[in-house]
Amino acid sequence: MNVETSIALSISAEAARAMAAEGSVQASMSLAVSAEATRATSAETSITGSLGLEQSRALAVEASLSGYAQQISDAAASLATQASLTASCMQQGQIPAQGGPSQCTYAGPSTFPVPVLVYSQANTSVCAGGNAGGVTADANVGPSSLTLCRRVTRPGCGSIFVSPGITYTQVSGYVTLYQSGTIDGFVTAYWQGEGLSVWSGNTLIWTNVLGFSSTAASIYACPALGGTVPNATLNGQWQCQSGNPASTSGGGIFYNVPLFGPNAPFAYPITSGSKIELRFCSDEGTSEEVYMGAAVINVLPRPVTTPFKNVFTMNATNVASLCVGSAVNGVLVDTNVGGTGKTLCRRWNNPGCGSLFINPGTVYTEVRGYLTLYQLGTLDAFVTSYSQGEGVSIWSGNRLLWTYVIGGTSNPAGGIYTCPYSGGSPAPSSNNGQW
């Protein structure tokens, strides 16, 4: 009885609540609909149409997205500008200023090496120049189907050149090499050994030498296994490894063993602005090969505390006005040289020398720049009575600063008249590597 009464009262109470709620809901719904009708009318007046509010929101979102897209575009443009500024500053031996968006600074040395060459399986484009003295890439080498860089001339040497475009105080990095055949370490006509050497101009930075075997003692092995010791002029700037685990000769066999690499880096201090050269050398033909699978070459920019002043610029538009001089030891202009349409500056005396003189108008502590030369005929490099060689040399008073020498051919078969690295007559010691 009490339970039934309780239930009845509960149901009755719920019914009352439901009825009250119904009235409340109806009232609320009526008010809500009325309010929405008012809002809709207002929205219709301002935007047109019952969907105007949603369209307005959509337009707002679209505008917001457009703003984000513009921000992204602006950020990308800023990064591109910064990259361009960095490159421009580095060419002047400087770094971007922290406080100015378009300024370079001379304050303080850079402590961060700058990569000037990167060779990897994802970037093999630097292995180019398939001519005599050059390099080429072989695809699908070995069981790992690697793309490896090698010399073109076999036997002989091949080189990759890269111009940092700045003055630097250190060259560092590493190379990863692979070996094909039984290479002979330091038993070779190449004083830097058989393998891959890194140069700054004509100064040796480092040489990575490949030996006959990694296990068998022999004069052809690395010095650690009793092999021939390196030339004293290397001054410890070398490493030696071998990919051949056997004690027997393996002519033509590719050894799928990466040598040197990031665990065998090098670093050498040198103040220079010269091109960096990676030189592959072996005195055998296709029976042995020096392959490069990876490389990273860095330079450390030299801090500059005084700005450089341009004192001379010659190009196609002003060569006729700048290449002037008397018939005695002077220069003159030739037009349409070789039928190419080029206007070029040359010596007046033939045979002999001709000079351009430039007055900087200030006291200076360093001279830097570059020349672009063209060759007519077979010049003789250092086989000449001119100590600076045949080509164009730059002097400060009576002091040789640099000489650009031209050889008879880029083919090592050209003999003594080729450049020294191709077997030509060596440069006089008085040039002190400034060539």
Side-chain angles (χ1 to χ4, degrees), residues 72-402:
I72 292 170
S73 177
D74 292 345
S78 176
L79 288 173
T81 300
Q82 186 65 21
S84 177
L85 172 64
T86 300
S88 176
C89 290
M90 283 177 56
Q91 289 178 354
Q92 304 171 54
Q94 306 169 54
I95 57 175
Q98 296 296 320
S102 60
Q103 299 175 358
C104 301
T105 180
Y106 298 98
S110 169
T111 57
F112 301 100
V114 177
V116 293
L117 182 145
V118 176
Y119 180 90
S120 68
Q121 293 303 293
N123 177 32
T124 60
S125 60
V126 297
C127 183
N131 55 5
V135 293
T136 188
D138 283 352
N140 299 316
V141 179
S144 300
S145 297
L146 300 170
T147 298
L148 302 179
C149 191
R150 65 165 174 85
R151 63 198 170 140
V152 170
T153 302
R154 301 189 287 188
C157 298
S159 296
I160 297 174
F161 293 93
V162 58
S163 178
I166 58 171
T167 300
Y168 49 88
T169 58
Q170 178 181 276
V171 179
S172 62
Y174 71 87
V175 296
T176 300
L177 302 184
Y178 292 84
Q179 175 177 347
S180 175
T182 47
I183 300 180
D184 299 334
F186 288 105
V187 184
T188 176
Y190 307 113
W191 64 272
Q192 75 271 19
E194 288 191 300
L196 187 147
S197 50
V198 181
W199 302 73
S200 169
N202 297 295
T203 301
L204 177 71
I205 300 299
W206 202 263
T207 183
N208 293 276
V209 179
L210 301 180
F212 169 82
S213 168
S214 61
T215 58
S218 164
I219 62 170
Y220 304 104
C222 293
L225 283 175
T228 299
V229 296
N231 190 305
T233 56
L234 286 181
N235 195 32
Q237 296 158 238
W238 60 274
Q239 301 175 90
C240 185
Q241 296 182 16
S242 176
N244 176 18
S247 60
T248 55
S249 175
I253 297 176
F254 175 78
Y255 299 102
N256 193 35
V257 179
L259 304 171
F260 309 108
N263 292 326
F266 63 87
Y268 186 76
I270 180 174
T271 299
S272 175
S274 298
K275 289 182 178 180
I276 305 296
E277 176 188 0
L278 274 63
R279 188 184 304 176
F280 303 67
C281 287
S282 174
D283 56 18
E284 296 291 339
T286 57
S287 63
E288 62 181 46
E289 192 54 77
V290 178
Y291 284 111
M292 183 177 75
V296 174
I297 305 298
N298 306 306
V299 298
L300 185 65
R302 191 190 110 170
V304 179
T305 56
T306 305
F308 279 84
K309 172 186 176 183
N310 179 271
V311 294
F312 184 80
T313 298
M314 178 186 286
N315 52 44
T317 60
N318 64 14
V319 59
S321 61
L322 293 180
C323 182
V324 293
S326 66
V328 180
N329 296 325
V331 292
L332 78 163
V333 168
D334 279 350
T335 59
N336 194 27
V337 179
T340 62
K342 295 183 184 297
T343 300
L344 303 176
C345 188
R346 69 166 174 87
R347 60 185 175 159
W348 195 309
N349 291 337
N350 192 0
C353 297
S355 297
L356 276 171
F357 292 93
I358 304 160
N359 182 7
T362 184
V363 176
Y364 51 90
T365 58
E366 181 177 339
V367 177
R368 66 166 63 174
Y370 70 90
L371 304 179
T372 300
L373 304 182
Y374 294 87
Q375 176 177 353
L376 176 66
T378 51
L379 282 78
D380 298 333
F382 287 107
V383 184
T384 174
S385 59
Y386 307 116
S387 63
Q388 72 271 19
E390 291 193 316
V392 176
S393 53
I394 302 167
W395 301 73
S396 173
N398 295 308
R399 179 180 178 182
L400 177 68
L401 302 181
W402 201 262

